[in-house]
Structure formats: structure tokens, C-alpha cells
Amino acid sequence: MNDPNWKLPQVPSFALESPDFEEGGMLPQWARSGIANAGGEDRSPTLHWHGFPSGTKSFALTVFDPDAPTGSGWWHWAVYNIPASVESLPHDAGNPDAQLLPNGAIALPNELRLTSFQGAAPPAGHGPHRYVFTVSALNVERLDVAEGSTPAMLGFALRDHIVARAQLIGLSSTSE
């Protein structure tokens, strides 16, 4: 299986949890994609994190499917410049119309070029996919990432500023 952490810096870990799914458990139906006709509502789950280093100055969040049959995975959501005082994101924070992201946080376009959360949408007959929710604790208050950049560019920009990482993996599959 593809390792989404391959060649990333080794850093301490902290806890990332959700009341909506357990580590290695299935994502809720509403967290599947409606945009990609996967029978869901493209709603992001509630996320809580704790145990990060005291010197943390901001956070970045990414959601990535390393199992997508693309050769490069699939980015579902990317948010950066989350203030260090924020330790959670509410249900449906990935919906720009809901305005639930904290002040100063910036969402980047996902693979569909939308700044919203795209729910799980594994291709029919492809088996289960992993959806890796990653919160990176950073040693800078703000990252300078050009508007419209890709989540991969965000990963490059935050690489030298990561002081700790938390991950939570949810699964989704089709029955066909």
C-alpha cells in the first residue's frame, strides 16, 4: 500500500480524534462525496487535537487518499494558517458557506479545484480507500502560500516548519 508519510520529516506525534469515526473505521455516509456521485453530502467530520508541543504557532490540516488510482493520490481538503489557539474544527467546517473555519485560516483548492471538503469517493470495485486526516503543528504563525496553490505545494511549504504531526485514518469503499 502507498505510504502517505513516505519521505516526510520524522517528528513527534500528538492526538487527533473525531466523534464521527474511529481510527481505521468507516467514515459516515454523509462524509462521502455528493459532488462525485458517491452517495454522500461532502460534509467534513468534527476533528479534535491535543498533546501538541507548547511552542506550536499554527496548524495545517490535509485530507488525502493515497489509494486513489492516479499515481499521485487524491487531495480532498487542505487548510492552513489555523491559529495555535484552535484545537478543533466543527462538523461541516469544510463547507465554505457555513463559515466555520477560524479567522485567518485559508482553504486551498482540492483535486476538483474547490476550496471545500470533498467527501470519500473510491471508484466502484476498487476496494477500501484510506482517508488520511493530518494535522501538522508548525513553528510559524503563517505560511506564505500563493492563492490557488495545490495541497501538494502546501506540503512543500510546511515541510521545514513541522514540529509535530497527528493523523487519523478513516476508510470508505463501494459495495460494487
Side-chain angles (χ1 to χ4, degrees):
M1 280 193 152
N2 299 331
D3 179 0
N5 295 317
W6 185 66
K7 293 204 172 189
L8 291 180
Q10 295 291 321
V11 294
S13 62
F14 59 100
L16 176 58
E17 302 164 337
S18 176
D20 299 321
F21 68 99
E22 294 181 10
E23 170 65 30
M26 297 301 283
L27 292 172
Q29 185 68 25
W30 46 259
R32 291 178 60 83
S33 185
I35 296 168
N37 299 313
E41 301 171 29
D42 294 293
R43 289 192 285 154
S44 57
T46 300
L47 299 170
H48 302 281
W49 53 90
H50 56 88
F52 49 87
S54 61
T56 299
K57 295 184 178 175
S58 69
F59 297 100
L61 163 70
T62 58
V63 182
F64 180 67
D65 173 1
D67 304 315
T70 64
S72 61
W74 191 272
W75 294 99
H76 287 257
W77 196 25
V79 182
Y80 67 103
N81 292 347
I82 300 170
S85 60
V86 173
E87 297 182 24
S88 65
L89 291 178
H91 174 83
D92 208 24
N95 174 358
D97 294 335
Q99 298 183 357
L100 296 172
L101 287 178
N103 287 338
I106 299 170
L108 291 174
N110 57 28
E111 299 289 351
L112 296 178
R113 307 309 298 151
L114 302 171
T115 57
S116 58
F117 172 80
Q118 181 202 346
H126 202 255
H129 282 216
R130 295 169 293 157
Y131 295 84
V132 183
F133 291 74
T134 302
V135 175
S136 298
L138 307 177
N139 64 5
V140 293
E141 288 183 13
R142 300 190 55 77
L143 288 171
D144 292 321
V145 178
E147 184 178 334
S149 290
T150 65
M153 283 301 298
L154 171 63
F156 187 76
L158 63 80
R159 179 178 178 78
D160 293 335
H161 299 289
I162 299 173
V163 296
R165 180 183 303 113
Q167 290 187 317
L168 179 62
I169 298 174
L171 303 177
S172 190
S173 65
T174 57
S175 57
E176 301 172 12

XYZ file of all heavy atoms in Angstrom, residues 3-68:
508
model
N 2.362 4.611 1.141
C 2.597 5.206 2.449
C 2.515 6.719 2.311
O 3.399 7.337 1.704
C 3.967 4.783 2.979
C 4.292 5.398 4.325
O 3.477 6.158 4.874
O 5.380 5.108 4.835
N 1.469 7.358 2.859
C 1.329 8.799 2.697
C 2.387 9.597 3.443
O 2.525 10.791 3.219
C -0.071 9.091 3.246
C -0.354 7.965 4.167
C 0.361 6.773 3.608
N 3.158 8.949 4.321
C 4.197 9.651 5.075
C 5.599 9.403 4.530
O 6.583 9.836 5.125
C 4.139 9.251 6.551
C 2.860 9.705 7.189
O 2.404 10.813 6.975
N 2.246 8.831 7.959
N 5.674 8.710 3.411
C 6.966 8.412 2.819
C 7.731 9.703 2.554
O 7.195 10.649 1.981
C 6.752 7.633 1.527
C 7.988 7.171 0.868
C 8.883 6.257 1.338
C 8.479 7.596 -0.403
N 9.890 6.078 0.430
C 9.675 6.890 -0.656
C 8.025 8.488 -1.357
C 10.427 7.050 -1.808
C 8.765 8.657 -2.509
C 9.948 7.948 -2.729
N 8.923 9.760 3.032
C 9.840 10.887 2.847
C 9.409 12.169 3.559
O 9.962 13.236 3.284
C 10.110 11.156 1.377
C 10.893 10.040 0.717
C 11.636 10.536 -0.477
C 12.547 9.416 -0.970
N 13.456 9.853 -1.995
N 8.429 12.100 4.447
C 8.110 13.274 5.251
C 9.063 13.315 6.447
O 9.576 12.279 6.877
C 6.664 13.214 5.753
C 5.575 13.363 4.705
C 4.197 13.287 5.347
C 5.730 14.670 3.937
N 9.302 14.497 6.998
C 10.197 14.589 8.154
C 9.659 13.763 9.334
O 8.455 13.715 9.570
C 10.185 16.078 8.506
C 9.566 16.782 7.368
C 8.764 15.791 6.601
N 10.578 13.121 10.051
C 10.214 12.408 11.271
C 10.055 13.446 12.373
O 10.994 14.186 12.676
C 11.308 11.398 11.638
C 11.465 10.282 10.632
C 10.268 9.347 10.639
O 9.708 9.030 11.682
N 9.869 8.918 9.462
N 8.860 13.512 12.949
C 8.571 14.467 14.021
C 7.739 13.761 15.085
O 7.132 12.713 14.816
C 7.812 15.717 13.487
C 8.683 16.543 12.550
C 6.511 15.324 12.811
N 7.686 14.331 16.293
C 6.831 13.739 17.327
C 5.368 13.741 16.880
O 4.964 14.526 16.019
C 7.032 14.664 18.532
C 8.316 15.383 18.272
C 8.438 15.488 16.775
N 4.592 12.880 17.509
C 3.165 12.824 17.183
C 2.337 13.389 18.332
O 2.818 13.530 19.459
C 2.738 11.388 16.884
O 2.924 10.584 18.016
N 1.109 13.740 18.014
C 0.123 14.133 19.025
C -1.202 13.524 18.619
O -1.284 12.804 17.619
C 0.077 15.654 19.231
C -0.264 16.494 18.021
C -1.540 16.989 17.834
C 0.715 16.822 17.085
C -1.843 17.783 16.742
C 0.428 17.622 15.989
C -0.855 18.104 15.814
N -2.238 13.727 19.390
C -3.507 13.027 19.189
C -4.468 13.813 18.292
O -4.611 15.024 18.434
C -4.179 12.767 20.531
N -5.117 13.092 17.383
C -6.185 13.618 16.533
C -7.342 12.648 16.641
O -7.169 11.445 16.421
C -5.720 13.751 15.085
C -6.755 14.199 14.049
C -7.349 15.554 14.412
C -6.132 14.236 12.664
N -8.521 13.154 16.996
C -9.692 12.302 17.220
C -10.925 12.921 16.581
O -10.962 14.108 16.299
C -9.936 12.144 18.728
C -8.753 11.568 19.464
C -8.822 11.755 20.968
O -9.517 12.679 21.443
O -8.152 10.984 21.663
N -11.934 12.070 16.386
C -13.219 12.526 15.881
C -14.324 11.724 16.554
O -14.199 10.504 16.675
C -13.308 12.331 14.365
O -14.598 12.696 13.909
N -15.407 12.378 16.965
C -16.548 11.631 17.485
C -17.344 10.953 16.360
O -18.231 10.162 16.619
C -17.386 12.698 18.190
C -17.061 13.966 17.454
C -15.616 13.829 17.046
N -16.975 11.251 15.110
C -17.735 10.759 13.963
C -17.227 9.439 13.398
O -17.956 8.754 12.686
C -17.734 11.822 12.865
C -18.380 13.121 13.326
O -19.397 13.048 14.054
O -17.868 14.198 12.986
N -15.963 9.080 13.689
C -15.419 7.792 13.244
C -14.189 7.465 14.079
O -13.533 8.359 14.618
C -15.091 7.789 11.745
C -13.943 8.685 11.347
C -12.673 8.157 11.149
C -14.125 10.045 11.163
C -11.610 8.969 10.787
C -13.083 10.867 10.787
C -11.817 10.327 10.601
N -13.893 6.181 14.186
C -12.728 5.724 14.935
C -11.550 5.513 13.998
O -11.735 5.304 12.796
C -13.042 4.404 15.644
C -14.086 4.521 16.722
C -14.344 3.199 17.416
O -13.586 2.226 17.206
O -15.319 3.146 18.170
N -10.345 5.517 14.552
C -9.134 5.228 13.785
C -9.304 3.904 13.048
O -9.626 2.878 13.660
C -7.915 5.148 14.712
C -6.653 4.616 14.071
C -6.099 5.518 12.974
O -6.284 6.746 13.034
O -5.477 4.976 12.052
N -9.145 3.927 11.727
C -9.277 2.725 10.918
C -10.704 2.288 10.680
O -10.945 1.260 10.043
N -11.682 3.087 11.132
C -13.094 2.763 10.950
C -13.668 3.425 9.711
O -13.037 4.277 9.076
N -14.869 3.032 9.385
C -15.542 3.580 8.203
C -16.008 5.016 8.454
O -16.522 5.339 9.531
C -16.744 2.723 7.828
C -16.380 1.291 7.427
S -15.256 1.183 6.012
C -16.382 1.516 4.680
N -15.826 5.856 7.454
C -16.345 7.218 7.511
C -17.871 7.178 7.421
O -18.428 6.290 6.765
C -15.789 8.046 6.359
C -14.297 8.353 6.397
C -13.862 9.004 5.082
C -13.966 9.264 7.563
N -18.556 8.134 8.038
C -20.016 8.187 7.917
C -20.454 8.419 6.470
O -19.702 8.999 5.671
C -20.414 9.381 8.783
C -19.218 9.746 9.572
C -18.023 9.207 8.871
N -21.657 8.010 6.150
C -22.187 8.186 4.792
C -22.168 9.651 4.366
O -21.851 9.962 3.228
C -23.611 7.612 4.714
C -24.212 7.636 3.328
C -23.533 6.690 2.349
O -22.934 5.701 2.744
N -23.603 7.012 1.070
N -22.481 10.572 5.279
C -22.508 11.999 4.933
C -21.111 12.537 4.614
O -20.978 13.611 4.034
C -23.188 12.835 6.008
C -22.790 12.546 7.425
C -23.489 11.811 8.340
C -21.600 12.979 8.096
N -22.812 11.759 9.534
C -21.644 12.474 9.404
C -20.498 13.743 7.715
C -20.637 12.702 10.334
C -19.486 13.978 8.635
C -19.576 13.462 9.932
N -20.049 11.801 4.992
C -18.682 12.211 4.676
C -18.224 11.645 3.327
O -17.084 11.828 2.929
C -17.714 11.786 5.789
N -19.108 10.935 2.632
C -18.838 10.520 1.257
C -19.177 11.695 0.345
O -19.818 12.653 0.749
C -19.668 9.283 0.900
C -19.196 8.032 1.662
C -20.044 6.831 1.344
N -20.033 6.483 -0.072
C -19.095 5.750 -0.670
N -18.092 5.273 0.033
N -19.168 5.470 -1.952
N -18.752 11.617 -0.893
C -18.941 12.727 -1.814
C -20.288 12.680 -2.520
O -20.694 11.643 -3.044
C -17.823 12.732 -2.862
O -17.958 13.877 -3.680
N -20.953 13.817 -2.533
C -22.122 14.009 -3.370
C -21.689 14.569 -4.711
O -22.219 14.210 -5.763
N -20.682 15.442 -4.688
C -20.161 16.055 -5.910
C -19.681 14.979 -6.885
O -19.887 15.075 -8.083
C -19.002 17.019 -5.577
C -19.512 18.184 -4.732
C -18.323 17.530 -6.829
C -18.409 19.013 -4.115
N -19.045 13.941 -6.352
C -18.504 12.865 -7.191
C -19.460 11.666 -7.267
O -19.047 10.562 -7.609
C -17.141 12.422 -6.658
N -20.722 11.897 -6.948
C -21.772 10.878 -7.061
C -21.480 9.603 -6.265
O -21.701 8.498 -6.737
C -22.022 10.528 -8.536
C -22.487 11.734 -9.309
O -23.372 12.458 -8.861
N -21.893 11.964 -10.465
N -20.970 9.785 -5.036
C -20.675 8.642 -4.171
C -21.718 8.479 -3.063
O -21.481 7.762 -2.100
C -19.285 8.785 -3.569
N -22.854 9.150 -3.208
C -23.960 8.965 -2.277
C -23.849 9.693 -0.960
O -24.557 9.377 -0.008
N -22.988 10.693 -0.875
C -22.811 11.419 0.375
C -23.180 12.877 0.261
O -23.865 13.290 -0.678
N -22.708 13.640 1.239
C -23.053 15.058 1.322
C -21.828 15.972 1.373
O -21.973 17.167 1.613
C -23.931 15.289 2.549
C -25.224 14.476 2.511
C -25.978 14.538 3.829
O -25.878 15.551 4.555
O -26.674 13.552 4.138
N -20.624 15.414 1.228
C -19.393 16.207 1.253
C -19.269 17.040 2.527
O -18.831 18.184 2.502
C -19.285 17.126 0.019
C -19.145 16.343 -1.268
O -18.105 15.686 -1.450
O -20.096 16.371 -2.077
N -19.652 16.455 3.658
C -19.535 17.155 4.944
C -18.311 16.631 5.693
O -18.150 15.424 5.867
C -20.791 16.991 5.786
C -21.965 17.770 5.203
C -23.123 17.852 6.143
N -23.815 16.566 6.177
C -24.529 16.131 7.202
N -24.645 16.862 8.293
N -25.121 14.971 7.152
N -17.470 17.530 6.147
C -16.272 17.143 6.893
C -16.650 16.753 8.323
O -17.570 17.315 8.913
C -15.258 18.288 6.908
O -15.830 19.462 7.454
N -15.925 15.773 8.884
C -16.200 15.361 10.257
C -15.641 16.359 11.275
O -14.754 17.164 10.966
C -15.478 14.010 10.371
C -14.404 14.073 9.353
C -14.919 14.940 8.244
N -16.151 16.283 12.475
C -15.596 17.032 13.600
C -14.212 16.475 13.900
O -14.016 15.260 13.907
C -16.507 16.862 14.839
O -17.811 17.347 14.529
C -15.952 17.608 16.041
N -13.274 17.353 14.155
C -11.909 16.940 14.493
C -11.456 17.663 15.756
O -11.695 18.869 15.907
C -10.941 17.277 13.355
C -11.219 16.612 12.007
C -10.335 17.220 10.923
C -11.007 15.108 12.095
N -10.798 16.922 16.661
C -10.216 17.478 17.895
C -8.770 17.023 17.981
O -8.481 15.856 17.711
C -10.938 16.944 19.139
C -12.393 17.220 19.182
N -12.905 18.438 19.540
C -13.452 16.424 18.927
C -14.227 18.383 19.492
N -14.578 17.172 19.117
N -7.860 17.916 18.374
C -6.468 17.512 18.555
C -5.937 18.063 19.871
O -6.384 19.087 20.373
C -5.602 17.925 17.373
C -5.650 19.371 16.966
C -4.841 20.376 17.431
C -6.521 19.973 15.991
N -5.162 21.565 16.809
C -6.180 21.342 15.922
C -7.539 19.493 15.175
C -6.832 22.222 15.063
C -8.190 20.373 14.324
C -7.832 21.718 14.272
N -4.988 17.317 20.435
C -4.373 17.723 21.701
C -3.016 17.037 21.859
O -2.707 16.087 21.140
C -5.291 17.390 22.890
C -5.676 15.953 22.972
N -4.915 15.021 23.650
C -6.723 15.261 22.454
C -5.489 13.826 23.543
N -6.584 13.944 22.819
N -2.227 17.555 22.791
C -0.919 16.981 23.057
C 0.178 17.481 22.135
O 1.260 16.911 22.097
N -0.059 18.562 21.420
C 0.944 19.136 20.519
C 1.959 19.942 21.340
O 1.679 20.330 22.475
C 0.275 20.001 19.445
C -0.720 20.986 19.988
C -0.311 22.240 20.425
C -2.060 20.641 20.081
C -1.231 23.138 20.945
C -2.986 21.545 20.603
C -2.564 22.785 21.033
N 3.140 20.204 20.791
C 4.174 20.937 21.528
C 3.717 22.345 21.935
O 2.979 23.007 21.198
C 5.335 21.021 20.533
C 5.107 19.903 19.580
C 3.618 19.741 19.485
N 4.180 22.790 23.089
C 3.769 24.095 23.616
C 4.219 25.261 22.738
O 3.616 26.318 22.773
C 4.285 24.283 25.039
O 5.696 24.230 25.055
N 5.258 25.092 21.944
C 5.734 26.160 21.072
C 5.021 26.254 19.736
O 5.417 27.046 18.879
N 3.965 25.470 19.548
C 3.229 25.494 18.283
C 2.677 26.893 18.020
O 2.086 27.506 18.907
C 2.082 24.462 18.322
O 2.650 23.167 18.495
C 1.254 24.508 17.053
N 2.843 27.379 16.777
C 2.367 28.721 16.421
C 1.200 28.711 15.443
O 0.519 29.725 15.280
C 3.526 29.539 15.866
C 4.595 29.790 16.917
C 5.687 30.673 16.392
C 6.710 30.934 17.486
N 7.847 31.696 16.988
N 0.978 27.579 14.760
C -0.186 27.435 13.882
C -0.311 25.969 13.494
O 0.556 25.147 13.823
C -0.068 28.310 12.624
O 0.944 27.833 11.759
N -1.402 25.661 12.789
C -1.656 24.298 12.318
C -2.013 24.321 10.839
O -2.525 25.317 10.319
C -2.829 23.655 13.074
C -2.608 23.489 14.537
C -3.157 24.384 15.439
C -1.853 22.424 15.031
C -2.967 24.226 16.797
C -1.651 22.260 16.381
C -2.208 23.160 17.265
N -1.780 23.195 10.195
C -2.267 22.956 8.837
C -2.979 21.611 8.856
O -2.565 20.692 9.574
C -1.124 22.935 7.838
N -4.045 21.493 8.096
C -4.832 20.267 8.004
C -4.888 19.830 6.550
O -5.157 20.653 5.662
C -6.253 20.509 8.517
C -7.308 19.472 8.130
C -7.067 18.150 8.858
C -8.702 19.993 8.413
N -4.646 18.552 6.316
C -4.841 17.998 4.979
C -5.628 16.701 5.093
O -5.571 16.009 6.111
C -3.502 17.706 4.262
O -2.729 16.803 5.052
C -2.725 18.990 4.001
N -6.374 16.401 4.036
C -7.079 15.122 3.923
C -6.690 14.547 2.565
O -6.908 15.183 1.530
C -8.607 15.278 4.042
C -9.280 13.919 3.956
C -8.973 15.978 5.346
N -6.125 13.339 2.602
C -5.504 12.747 1.423
C -5.899 11.285 1.293
O -5.923 10.555 2.285
C -3.980 12.869 1.563
C -3.184 12.298 0.428
C -3.226 12.867 -0.827
C -2.375 11.194 0.624
C -2.468 12.353 -1.871
C -1.609 10.674 -0.406
C -1.665 11.254 -1.663
N -6.210 10.866 0.073
C -6.473 9.458 -0.243
C -5.267 8.915 -1.001
O -5.136 9.159 -2.199
C -7.746 9.340 -1.085
C -8.008 7.931 -1.613
O -7.216 7.003 -1.323
O -9.004 7.755 -2.333
N -4.371 8.180 -0.318
C -3.199 7.648 -1.005
C -3.525 6.462 -1.906
O -2.665 6.026 -2.677
C -2.285 7.222 0.149
C -3.225 6.870 1.244
C -4.380 7.831 1.100
N -4.751 5.945 -1.815
C -5.134 4.746 -2.563
C -5.852 5.051 -3.871
O -6.241 4.140 -4.598
C -6.011 3.851 -1.683
C -5.319 3.498 -0.379
O -4.119 3.147 -0.429
O -5.959 3.591 0.679
N -6.050 6.334 -4.170
C -6.711 6.713 -5.427
C -5.875 6.214 -6.605
O -4.656 6.309 -6.585
C -6.886 8.225 -5.498
